[in-house]
Amino acid sequence: MAGAPTAKPSRRKANAADEREGGERLFDRELEELPPELRWREWMLRVEAVIFASAEPVGRETLARVVGRECSIELLIDDLREELRARPYDIVAVAGGWQHRSRTAYGSAIRASQAPTRSSSAAAAMSEHEAAVVAAIAYLQPVTRGELSKMFGKEVSRDTIASLRDAGFLGSGPRSPTPGAPYTYVTTRHFLSAFGLETLRDMPDLERLEDAGLLSRQALEEGTTAEHDSAVPED
């Protein structure tokens, strides 16, 4: 309309346009212009969106990038989990972060559907021997391939170790102090994520693995003893 006054940009828009860093607008984490209730709600939605979109567990440092400095990540997660209480999935602590996981009660329905899932990975495709090897490494780490072979009473092949490394379950540990300084192996953060563990302290008791026939407590103890004995030179 002729003669109509030209609209001036709001202070909020003007400030947003001025907030530049390297040519990019700064992300508004604090949301100070929102009422407290709406601010908290927006932080909850941001955190849930990040966790939902991520293929791996999301750590505190990552989530802190999208919420205010004084925001408690734990309280946000608690509120999100309360909202999800009636849903077939939850946000769980795993591998040092948080991730959406289906509730165990719906595991049979998911398997019956044969739908591809995140768990349809190398973890599900592992042989019993590979599962036993990675479990032994998790308990004994850092451990060499030779020490694993002594424990199992047969050679743990380089191919088995390579397969577990390719799947992301194993990484290199420090060199062993034994003659020849062979490589040792340790489990990774991806191992924790794949098996739904927050830390190695959440590994199942050895009794459960013995009952399943996967590991022997005696073999573990002998393997550990052999490791220490081999580090001592003979007189």
Side-chain angles (χ1 to χ4, degrees), residues 24-41:
E24 297 293 334
R25 185 196 302 181
L26 292 174
F27 183 76
D28 184 5
R29 296 190 303 157
E30 302 298 334
L31 301 175
E32 293 178 347
E33 296 188 13
L34 291 181
E37 296 81 4
L38 293 181
R39 182 187 310 137
W40 187 260
R41 183 66 184 168

